Structures are given as C-alpha cells and as structure tokens.
Amino acid sequence: MPRFLNMRRPRCHFLILFIQFVSITSFYHYVTPIRGEDKKTSGVTVDVGIILDLETDVGKVMHTCILLALEDCNATANHSGIRIVPHLRDSKKDDVEAASAAIYLLKDVQVQAIFGPQMSTQTDFVIDLGKRVKVPIISPATSPLLAVEENPFFIRGALPSSSQTKAIAAIVKTYEWRQVVVIYEGGHFGTGILPHLTDALLEISTSVSYRSVISPSANDDQILTELYKMKTMQTRVFIVHLRPLLAQRLFLKANKAGMMSEGYAWIITDLLTSLLDSVDPSVIDSSMQGVLGVKPYVPRTNELINFTKRWRKRFRQEYSDMDPVELNVFGLWAYDGITVLAKAVEEVGDTAIPKFKKADTIENLTDLDALGTSELGSHLIHCMRNIALKTGLSGDFRIANGELQPSPYEIVNIIGKGERSIGFWTEKDGISCKLKMNGKTAAKCNNKQLGDTFWPGESTSAPKGWEIPTSGKKLKVGVPVKGGMQQFIKVEIDSKKQEVTATGLSADVFKEVIRSLPYALPYEFIPFQIPDNPTSPDYDHLVYKVSSKEFDAVVGDVTILASRSKYVDFTLPFTESGISAVVPVKDDDRKNTWIFLKPLKGELWITTGAFFVFIGFVVWVLEHRVNEEFRGPKRKQVGMIFWFSFSTLVFAHRERVTSNLTRFVLIVWVFVVLVLTSSYTASLTSMLTVQQLQPTITDLNDLIKNGEYVGYQEGSFVKDVLKHMKFDSSKLRNYSTLEDYNDALSRGSKNGGIGAIIDELPYLRLFLNKYCRKYIMVGQTYKTAGFGFVFPKGSPLVPDISRAILEVMEGKFMNDAIQRYFGNETDCEQKDGMAITSDSLTLDSFKGLFLIAGVTAGSALLIFFLIFLYQNREILTTDDSILRKLSAIAKVFVEEKDKCSSLEILDDGAKSQPTTPFAASPETLPNLPSQSPERTASPPYEGFSTTEPGTPVQEPVT
C-alpha cells in the first residue's frame, strides 16, 4: 500500500504541473492582446495610428519627428510600464486613401488615437470617424473651417491659419495701407482664412479691393493673365496665401509681369514663410526679394539645437535617397503633439481596458458599423483638451479646449537667398522690434516698430500701397457748371480744342494740392451741368457720379454732409463751415419813439411787472397788521401795494417797515431791482450810442411767424435744411448769382422779393463783401463741415490729399487765393461777416434772480402764516363750523394787531367790572387817544423809512 502510494504521488505531481502549465499558457494567450508585450519588454501598450502624406517633404519631416518623439516617450515610460506602439499609414495626397487608412486603423488595429492627417479635406472625414468611435484625432490641419467646438474628439495640433490674420493686419496698419489684394488658393486651404483676414483688415479701416483665386491646376498663362489684371488696378499691396509649389510659380510670373519692382508690397502667410526652404532658391533670389512674411516664432534653445542634430541624422537614415530638407515648425508641432499624447496616456494609466467595445449584433454590419467604440478614448480626450508643455521644442505648447493656443509671430523680410527677422507680433503688445522670452530679449531693437526693411525693386522706402495704373488713364475729375458764384468754381470749355479749364478757389486749391503731392497724379476735368431749374440734377447727383464710378473725384463747392458720406469719402474741408442768414439793414433805431422799450424783451417786461406786484402784496401782508402806514380804506391799501413795490424801482419808498420778515424780503428784492436797472441802463446806452447797423429781422423764427419769403442758392442742400426748420416750401425761392440775391432782398417779400437769404458762410461772406452797407448777417450759425473734395469710398487718395490740404491751408497760397477771388474784406468799414443778434435782454438772463426773489418772498409768507395760525390757535380749537372758523380768522387777519389786543383786555375787564351807561370805548370815542401804552408812545425809528413819519389814518365812527 505504501508502495502504491509512492507510485501514485509522482503521477499526481506531474498532473498538477501539467494543469498549471496549461493554465499559464492560456492566461498568457489571453493577456497578450491586452498587455501588448513584445520581445524586449512587457507592459501595457497603447496603439496609435499615424496618417501622413509621405510623398510630401512636410510629411517626411513630421514622420521623423514622430519617431524621435516615440523613442523619447517610451524611454521615459519604464517606470509606468506603458508604451505607445505606432501604426503608420500613407494617405498619398488622396482623401479616399486617408479615409481608408483611418477605417483600417480603427477597425483592424483598434488604435486608441490617431495623429493626422495633414490635409484639411482628409481630416474633415477622419474627425467624424473619431467622434463616432470616440477616438481622439490629433491633426496638424490648419483650416479654420475645421471647428474644434463642433467635434469633441478633435485636437488641433497646429495653429489655425486664422490666428495670423491680426499679425498681417498689424503690418498693414503700420504702413497705413488702406486697400489690399488677397491672392489665395482655391479649396479648404484658401477659403478658410478669407473671412477672418477680411474682418481683421476692416478693424483697421482697410478694405480688400480685390480677391484673386488661384487654382492649383492653373497653368502659367492663366496665372500671368490674372496678374496683368491686378496690375491695372490701383492697389499695390498683395497678401499671398498659397502653398509653396503654387506660390513659387506665382512669384516667377509676377516678376515677369513687372510686379516685383519698386512701389509694390508683398506679404506671405505663415505656411509659405515656414516652408520657405522648400521653395527653389533661384526663385527666391530672382523673384521674391523684399517680400514680407509672418510665421510662428520658435525660440532657439539648447534643446532645439540638440534635437535638430538628432533629427538630421535620423532623417538621413529614414530617407537616404532624397535631398536633405530643413526641420520646420510642423515637425516640431508633431513632436510636441506626440509628447502631449504620451503624457495623457501616462495620466490615464491602465484604468481602462485598451480594447474597443463591439456592436451588440454582428449581422449585416458594414465596416463603419463594425468599428465599435473605444473606452480609453474618452479618458484620453478629457486629458488632452486642456494640457500644456512649457518646455516644448516649438515653445510654449499649450492646448486649451482642444485648440493649440497662439504663440508670438515673427515678421521676416526676404533678402538674398534667405530671410531676416525684422520684428515680432503678439496679441498683447502688437508689433514690436523685440520679444522678451523668459526675461531675455529675443532680438536686437532700435526703438522702432520694425527693423530696416528691404522692399521689391531694391527700395528702402515703404510703398504707399497704390498708384495710378500704368495704362496712361487719367483721374476723371467732375466739376459743376453753373451760372453764379463763379468765384468758387468756374468752368470754361474750348469747343475747338475740346479742353476743359476750371478756375476759382476750389479748382486752384485742388491744383495746388496735386502739385504738392510727392508723386505725379494726372487728371482731367469733366463738366457736370447744374442748370437753374428745380427739377434738374443738383450737387447730390454730382456726388453720386463718384459712387457709380463715372467720376474718380469731384472738385467744386461741394459741402461735406453725413448723407453724402455714406457712399463717398471726403477730404478735409478747405473752407469755413456753417449756415446763416443775411437780411437788409433798417434805419437807425435811435430815431425810434419807443426805443426805451427795446432793452428788455416782452417776456422780461411782463415778469418784472408781475414780480413788482407780487412783492408789494407780500409786504402788505407782512405789515398791514402791525404798521399803521399800511392800513386804512381798501382803496388806499391797494394803492399802497402798487406804490410801495414800484417805488423800489428808483429806491423812493418812504414807508417805514417794522417786520423782520419784510426787511428780509426787501433786502433781496432791492438787490434784484439794482441788477435789473443796471442792465436796462447798459443796454439802452448801447443802443443809443454804439449800434449803427440794425437788421430788419434778428431771429429766423420771425421769418416763419411773419410768413416771409426766404431765398437760397439753386442746387444747394440748404433747401432741405430749411424744410427741416419748418419753413413752408411755398415760401422758398432759389437764386443763382449775387446780383439775384441783391435784387430780391431790395424788393422785400411784399414786392415779389424775399426777406432773407439763408446760405453757407462762404457764399454769404462773398455777398457781404460786395454789398457791405446794405445787408448784415443775423441769427445763430448752424454748423456744417465746409467744402471738401469727393473721392470713392475707401480711396487711398483721401489721406494724402487731406494732408496736402493742411499744408496748403497753412501756407501763403490760401491767403493769396482768397484775396484774388474775394478781395480785401477790410475795404468795407462795417464788419459784415460778424453775425448780429438781438440786443434786447431776455428772461433767461434773470431767471436765477427771479427764482431767488420768489423763494424769499414765498418763504416769508409761509413763516408769517404759520406764526399767525399759532397765535390764533384758540379759534381753530373751538367747536364752531369751518366756515365760522375761517370767518373769525379772516376778521382777526384784517384787524390791526394792537387793536385786537386792546379789545381782548376790555372784554376781560367787562367780565370783572359792572357795566355803566357812561363807559366809553374806542368805538364810541374815536377822537380820544388810546389808553394803551403802546398807542401813546411813538415807536422808535426803524426799517426802510424817511425822517417824516406817516400820518395815522382816522376811521369814521360807525
């Protein structure tokens, strides 16, 4: 038995060992797809798909950078045991190949993330797959049409092309270019940037005058034809957004068309600037000199220098059969993007099984339906949408909300066979010649926004951005032809020579301005008839000819108006501005019988009289109970009210006042009277001694009230202004010459003429200079912007012309021109140009004084009545009716205060003493002096009074 047991024991051990071996082997085969072990090491593996265009230099550069990034990431991931396994697929520049590669990687390999594709059109479909399978797609596609917000599993691993638009706009603003031409490539790459670039330029008041679409399949003749078309335009600033191969063809043809010469400015976008080494050096040397470019700034660090050496070595190993290329920013972004992915994978760890969750059914499934969903992808995208690498090779590599955040842009100038840095741009500081990175200055600075720039044509002067086309076309300048006011613009037409000559102040100023420009600007005058007919075309029609491009400009006496500026641009004005009125001068008012009433306006006379009566009433109320001089018959008290108040006008009041409230009121009122009389005296003196010319009308509203006819210049906008001022259209009459103005004003409204001329100040100055003794300018001046030259909306000529106008205005030419056409204004003894307004004083000047006087008097009345009611409160507390109480109060108010006191004493005495038939009272013995001590003694002299006391009033016996 023991022997049997000994024989069975080895067999059991063998069976146990065999079962353990089978279990381990089965477990190994089960775990291997999950753990991803290879021959060298064991640990968790994460499959990542790589889709690149390996037929392009950029794709090969990015591929090499990705391989180095994976090596570095896997080398530092030993402690976590997580390795990234790449699966590379070539899209072969084809959208279908890219989509097929993505489906293969997701379905067969079950990758947990995809880097790529490069092209925006390829990425558009792949990110839809990533959203469906919940796998992050990290793409270097730059088209803004790929919206990160709409694709939650899309991470943009490169700067979108829209991020450079503000940097380009800043360059345009620096050189004050007002119009640009945008040359872009058709398709997603080109159209994506266009709306963002247009908006950025509009923010600096620069317009895109023309958009040129260049197809990648366009031949050289088509490109040359398009360039010749742009050459015939005025704009000389071109923004080029093309890929390198198409761009070098464009610049070769631009050089052939003579568009790389002096006066032209070219700006290339970041893609072309960053990949400039891929352009043929001979093209750069011959056809791209002086071009400006922008590209993302990459700080030159020791890490980048060492990495560049490694990259060149590895690139030669991977692509030994091709010419060497340079490392670019897209390769650095690829390296940093893979590094960010590895960092996210490390953060996620092995918390999720790196396998896809298959669909519930497998019947009749397409490739897309059979993809399933990734459980690890949701964790990865959560980590990657907001992650940063402060020490990235490309600089501050920071992803926020799935978008790579903008970095500083470097501005370069192409010189020779390479480029030279001339400045930087950041969202915070704008353009600067220096950039501080980690406390260090990234470039030398000479205190300018941009360094010295080399322009096309070997010029060192910045192009002005436009010029007249080389076809010999002249600037078509419209000039108004009219019958009168030819001092401003006079047009003569030589029918034999077919020549148009324009003279006058407006034409002479324009000619002088053109001569002062730093460049030649050929022009020709084209007449525009403005006949003396209300239904004929006026100045608005002339201005509209510029908007419709029939004229390139308009020169004449054209007023700058807001309504016109909606469709044209004006230069700065070259004349004074404003609208006013001219009326005939009437006879000297010093001969007027009623001139003494003119110093004060009617409303001021009425207000003053009302306040005199009001103050007299207040004084009577305050004094009549305590002052004998304010008592007596009713007619005397009414007369006293008027007498006392109006006597203060000449300070002749002789009555004594006893109440402190009265004194308070009179102090304020006497001051008001003093101001009124002084102002009246000064105004009347001015009318009698100084004023010599008086207008028939001083206020435009009087024209409307009196129904006067009003004249204006034919074709002027003043007609619309008069209608807006509520003038009746039937009362408006138009005239063309100064002589017509004079004749109409001389006849007057009643004799078929007019009562006033309303026109712009330049015309009125001209009219008054000729008829200085007959008419005068009146009323307020309604502001306008003056005369200016008209140009199309957004014309680059406007800033230069405006600056030249300022120079002409400040020089001697303007004074000589005014003297030549308008004569010497000092020849007229009277200053006709000075607007005359009414000399009468208005109520507005004294509102404050009347307010103070009214508040003072009202306050005194209120205090008086409060004290009076308090003293007679026993009447208010009785049980009598309200009518009886009011009657008793009124009776007490009318009675003299001292008399009321005596009556109360007598009533009290009557209650304590027997009544006798011989008892006398003040009523029965009016001639006897009162027994009251206050009545027998004369009060002391006080208040406003003279040395003669008033006579007491004796009432008849009743």
Side-chain angles (χ1 to χ4, degrees):
M1 186 71 179
R3 186 178 179 182
F4 175 76
L5 290 175
N6 291 334
M7 293 177 62
R8 297 281 299 176
R9 186 173 299 171
R11 294 180 180 178
C12 291
H13 283 294
F14 176 78
L15 182 60
I16 293 172
L17 290 174
F18 179 77
I19 293 174
Q20 290 178 346
F21 175 78
V22 172
S23 300
I24 291 173
T25 304
S26 302
F27 180 76
Y28 172 80
H29 285 287
Y30 173 77
V31 173
T32 297
I34 301 177
R35 307 289 288 180
E37 292 183 11
D38 57 14
K39 298 179 180 180
K40 296 181 180 180
T41 182
S42 62
V44 177
T45 62
V46 176
D47 297 307
V48 174
I50 310 293
I51 303 177
L52 298 173
D53 289 331
L54 296 180
E55 296 181 6
T56 64
D57 291 347
V58 176
K60 295 173 182 178
V61 170
M62 295 174 68
H63 178 221
T64 307
C65 290
I66 290 173
L67 294 178
L68 293 176
L70 291 173
E71 289 181 3
D72 295 342
C73 294
N74 291 334
T76 59
N78 292 331
H79 64 281
S80 62
I82 302 176
R83 297 181 64 254
I84 296 178
V85 178
H87 300 272
L88 178 64
R89 290 294 180 272
D90 184 4
S91 62
K92 301 178 181 179
K93 296 184 179 181
D94 186 77
D95 296 351
V96 177
E97 288 287 345
S100 177
I103 294 174
Y104 167 78
L105 292 172
L106 293 172
K107 179 176 178 293
D108 298 335
V109 183
Q110 296 187 359
V111 294
Q112 303 301 324
I114 293 179
F115 183 92
Q118 297 171 225
M119 307 296 292
S120 300
T121 53
Q122 299 172 4
T123 307
D124 196 7
F125 178 75
V126 175
I127 59 178
D128 288 337
L129 292 178
K131 181 169 60 175
R132 182 183 187 124
V133 187
K134 296 184 179 181
V135 168
I137 307 296
I138 307 109
S139 173
T142 60
S143 174
L145 298 177
L146 302 174
V148 175
E149 299 82 3
E150 300 175 0
N151 299 282
F153 282 85
F154 173 44
I155 302 293
R156 195 193 302 275
L159 290 179
S161 57
S162 58
S163 64
Q164 65 183 316
T165 55
K166 290 186 177 181
I168 296 174
I171 297 174
V172 174
K173 183 179 180 181
T174 298
Y175 296 105
E176 299 181 353
W177 295 325
R178 295 304 177 191
Q179 288 186 349
V180 299
V181 171
V182 178
I183 304 174
Y184 62 98
E185 184 176 326
H188 270 239
F189 173 77
T191 57
I193 192 177
L194 197 59
H196 301 275
L197 181 58
T198 303
D199 292 343
L201 292 171
L202 288 177
E203 290 180 3
I204 61 170
S205 302
T206 298
S207 62
V208 178
S209 61
Y210 181 69
R211 299 180 179 92
S212 176
V213 184
I214 305 296
S215 172
S217 60
N219 56 42
D220 291 347
D221 291 337
Q222 291 173 331
I223 295 176
L224 191 60
T225 301
E226 183 68 12
L227 287 170
Y228 278 128
K229 179 181 178 181
M230 290 184 283
K231 187 177 181 180
T232 61
M233 303 175 184
Q234 290 186 353
T235 308
R236 291 294 180 262
V237 181
F238 303 94
I239 299 175
V240 180
H241 184 60
L242 302 174
R243 279 180 276 219
L245 292 178
L246 185 57
Q248 71 179 15
R249 293 172 56 203
L250 174 79
F251 280 104
L252 280 173
K253 297 307 174 184
N255 185 45
K256 181 178 180 181
M259 299 174 67
M260 295 304 299
S261 57
E262 184 176 359
Y264 288 84
W266 295 82
I267 303 175
I268 57 177
T269 55
D270 59 352
L271 178 68
L272 180 56
T273 309
S274 300
L275 303 179
L276 199 60
D277 61 288
S278 63
V279 179
D280 189 345
S282 63
V283 176
I284 297 176
D285 189 35
S286 64
S287 306
M288 296 185 67
Q289 296 299 296
V291 174
L292 298 182
V294 296
K295 66 177 183 179
Y297 172 69
V298 178
R300 189 170 180 80
T301 61
N302 293 330
E303 291 79 4
L304 178 60
I305 295 173
N306 295 330
F307 176 79
T308 303
K309 295 178 181 178
R310 289 179 53 206
W311 178 87
R312 287 174 178 171
K313 182 179 179 180
R314 185 61 178 268
F315 188 84
R316 286 194 296 269
Q317 294 176 358
E318 296 289 335
Y319 304 99
S320 58
D321 57 341
M322 67 173 292
D323 296 332
V325 297
E326 294 296 328
L327 178 63
N328 53 54
V329 69
F330 293 97
L332 299 179
W333 282 336
Y335 182 94
D336 291 340
I338 294 298
T339 304
V340 164
L341 175 60
K343 184 177 179 181
V345 170
E346 185 176 352
E347 289 183 7
V348 172
D350 53 359
T351 56
I353 300 176
K355 282 294 180 182
F356 279 25
K357 181 180 180 182
K358 294 297 183 179
D360 294 336
T361 178
I362 59 173
E363 295 181 1
N364 300 324
L365 292 181
T366 63
D367 287 342
L368 294 180
D369 295 330
L371 290 178
T373 57
S374 171
E375 298 183 7
L376 182 61
S378 299
H379 298 280
L380 286 177
I381 198 66
H382 177 72
C383 294
M384 293 189 64
R385 287 189 67 84
N386 294 279
I387 195 169
L389 289 178
K390 293 185 178 180
T391 58
L393 290 179
S394 61
D396 186 9
F397 191 88
R398 182 168 56 92
I399 294 177
N401 297 322
E403 191 92 51
L404 180 61
Q405 297 305 294
S407 61
Y409 275 91
E410 184 178 7
I411 303 172
V412 300
N413 186 202
I414 298 178
I415 301 176
K417 295 184 178 180
E419 61 187 41
R420 178 171 60 90
S421 176
I422 60 173
F424 301 91
W425 178 89
T426 60
E427 183 78 28
K428 179 181 179 182
D429 301 325
I431 287 183
S432 61
C433 62
K434 62 181 179 180
L435 180 67
K436 290 185 177 181
M437 301 293 292
N438 300 324
K440 297 180 180 180
T441 302
K444 294 182 180 180
C445 183
N446 55 0
N447 296 323
K448 297 180 181 178
Q449 281 189 321
L450 291 174
D452 296 332
T453 306
F454 183 79
W455 299 98
E458 300 182 357
S459 173
T460 56
S461 300
K464 62 179 180 292
W466 70 274
E467 68 179 40
I468 296 300
T470 57
S471 59
K473 177 183 175 184
K474 294 182 179 180
L475 203 67
K476 294 184 294 184
V477 180
V479 287
V481 180
K482 56 181 183 177
M485 308 294 182
Q486 296 184 347
Q487 289 84 351
F488 290 98
I489 186 71
K490 179 181 180 181
V491 180
E492 296 177 344
I493 303 175
D494 189 341
S495 57
K496 295 182 179 180
K497 297 181 180 180
Q498 296 298 319
E499 293 181 353
V500 178
T501 304
T503 56
L505 180 65
S506 302
D508 287 1
V509 170
F510 178 75
K511 295 174 185 176
E512 183 65 20
V513 165
I514 297 301
R515 280 193 292 268
S516 64
L517 291 176
Y519 47 84
L521 185 62
Y523 62 89
E524 60 179 344
F525 290 121
I526 300 177
F528 179 84
Q529 189 69 38
I530 300 182
D532 301 336
N533 189 336
T535 60
S536 299
D538 56 9
Y539 277 79
D540 286 337
H541 291 79
L542 174 59
V543 172
Y544 184 75
K545 294 290 184 180
V546 177
S547 176
S548 62
K549 298 183 179 181
E550 186 173 339
F551 293 154
D552 297 321
V554 164
V555 171
D557 48 349
V558 182
T559 303
I560 302 171
L561 297 178
S563 58
R564 295 171 179 173
S565 65
K566 293 179 180 179
Y567 50 90
V568 294
D569 278 348
F570 287 92
T571 63
L572 291 177
F574 57 89
T575 62
E576 60 183 333
S577 60
I579 299 174
S580 192
V582 165
V583 298
V585 175
K586 64 181 180 180
D587 293 336
D588 195 347
D589 271 343
R590 290 179 295 180
K591 302 176 182 179
N592 191 345
T593 305
W594 304 100
I595 190 174
F596 68 89
L597 295 176
K598 288 186 174 296
L600 304 184
K601 283 282 190 180
E603 63 269 17
L604 184 55
W605 278 116
I606 295 173
T607 304
T608 303
F611 260 84
F612 272 117
V613 176
F614 174 65
I615 295 299
F617 173 76
V618 171
V619 172
W620 175 82
V621 170
L622 299 176
E623 290 290 327
H624 87 283
R625 296 190 69 242
V626 296
N627 194 335
E628 191 69 26
E629 296 182 3
F630 288 83
R631 299 194 58 78
K634 294 181 180 179
R635 61 180 180 275
K636 177 186 177 183
Q637 296 184 49
V638 173
M640 179 60 67
I641 291 175
F642 285 93
W643 156 253
F644 184 84
S645 59
F646 282 98
S647 64
T648 58
L649 182 63
V650 291
F651 308 103
H653 46 282
R654 304 168 62 89
E655 289 72 26
R656 178 181 54 191
V657 295
T658 60
S659 172
N660 286 331
L661 291 176
T662 307
R663 294 168 184 153
F664 175 61
V665 172
L666 285 179
I667 288 172
V668 176
W669 176 244
V670 168
F671 174 73
V672 174
V673 171
L674 176 63
V675 175
L676 280 172
T677 54
S678 301
S679 302
Y680 174 86
T681 303
S683 180
L684 182 60
T685 302
S686 175
M687 289 182 177
L688 292 175
T689 59
V690 178
Q691 186 170 331
Q692 297 179 6
L693 292 179
Q694 280 293 324
T696 54
I697 295 174
T698 59
D699 193 344
L700 297 185
N701 291 324
D702 294 339
L703 296 170
I704 302 176
K705 294 178 183 177
N706 300 335
E708 297 275 357
Y709 284 91
V710 176
Y712 66 94
Q713 186 181 172
E714 174 60 38
S716 173
F717 73 98
V718 174
K719 180 180 180 180
D720 296 329
V721 175
L722 294 176
K723 291 181 179 179
H724 185 71
M725 295 170 62
K726 308 302 182 183
F727 279 90
D728 188 355
S729 299
S730 62
K731 298 293 183 180
L732 302 181
R733 294 174 176 175
N734 57 77
Y735 302 96
S736 300
T737 65
L738 300 181
E739 291 73 18
D740 293 341
Y741 279 1
N742 177 46
D743 179 65
L745 286 172
S746 300
R747 287 186 282 120
S749 294
K750 296 180 179 179
N751 299 316
I754 54 176
I757 282 288
I758 299 180
D759 209 339
E760 297 177 78
L761 287 180
Y763 303 117
L764 297 183
R765 301 278 189 199
L766 182 62
F767 178 68
L768 291 175
N769 196 47
K770 186 174 183 178
Y771 303 98
C772 60
R773 299 183 184 276
K774 297 177 62 177
Y775 307 104
I776 196 168
M777 195 181 300
V778 299
Q780 65 180 2
T781 300
Y782 298 89
K783 293 298 182 182
T784 59
F787 297 162
F789 302 133
V790 186
F791 288 92
K793 200 73 174 176
S795 172
L797 278 172
V798 173
D800 291 345
I801 296 293
S802 296
R803 281 189 288 267
I805 288 175
L806 292 178
E807 295 177 0
V808 171
M809 294 283 288
E810 295 171 358
K812 183 182 177 182
F813 172 83
M814 200 66 185
N815 293 330
D816 294 341
I818 292 176
Q819 179 72 21
R820 182 167 60 254
Y821 289 107
F822 305 118
N824 191 354
E825 293 185 356
T826 58
D827 293 342
C828 187
E829 296 179 0
Q830 306 297 336
K831 299 301 293 180
D832 304 317
M834 184 177 297
I836 301 297
T837 58
S838 175
D839 288 334
S840 300
L841 300 174
T842 62
L843 179 61
D844 295 336
S845 303
F846 299 94
K847 282 183 178 179
L849 283 175
F850 286 124
L851 178 63
I852 294 173
V855 171
T856 303
S859 301
L861 279 178
L862 179 62
I863 295 172
F864 169 79
F865 281 116
L866 291 177
I867 295 174
F868 174 75
L869 293 176
Y870 178 76
Q871 291 175 347
N872 297 276
R873 59 188 180 278
E874 67 277 0
I875 298 177
L876 300 175
T877 57
T878 61
D879 296 334
D880 294 338
S881 63
I882 295 177
L883 184 61
R884 291 178 63 84
K885 289 180 182 180
L886 293 177
S887 177
I889 287 292
K891 183 178 180 181
V892 174
F893 176 76
V894 172
E895 294 292 341
E896 188 176 0
K897 184 176 182 180
D898 293 338
K899 185 174 181 179
C900 293
S901 300
S902 300
L903 288 174
E904 291 173 0
I905 294 172
L906 290 175
D907 290 342
D908 292 340
K911 294 177 183 178
S912 58
Q913 298 180 6
T915 304
T916 64
F918 303 101
S921 67
E923 286 83 351
T924 59
L925 301 174
N927 296 326
L928 295 179
S930 175
Q931 301 302 316
S932 174
E934 297 180 2
R935 297 294 299 275
T936 58
S938 298
Y941 170 73
E942 57 184 344
F944 292 87
S945 69
T946 64
T947 56
E948 299 179 7
T951 303
V953 179
Q954 301 295 333
E955 297 184 3
V957 178
T958 58

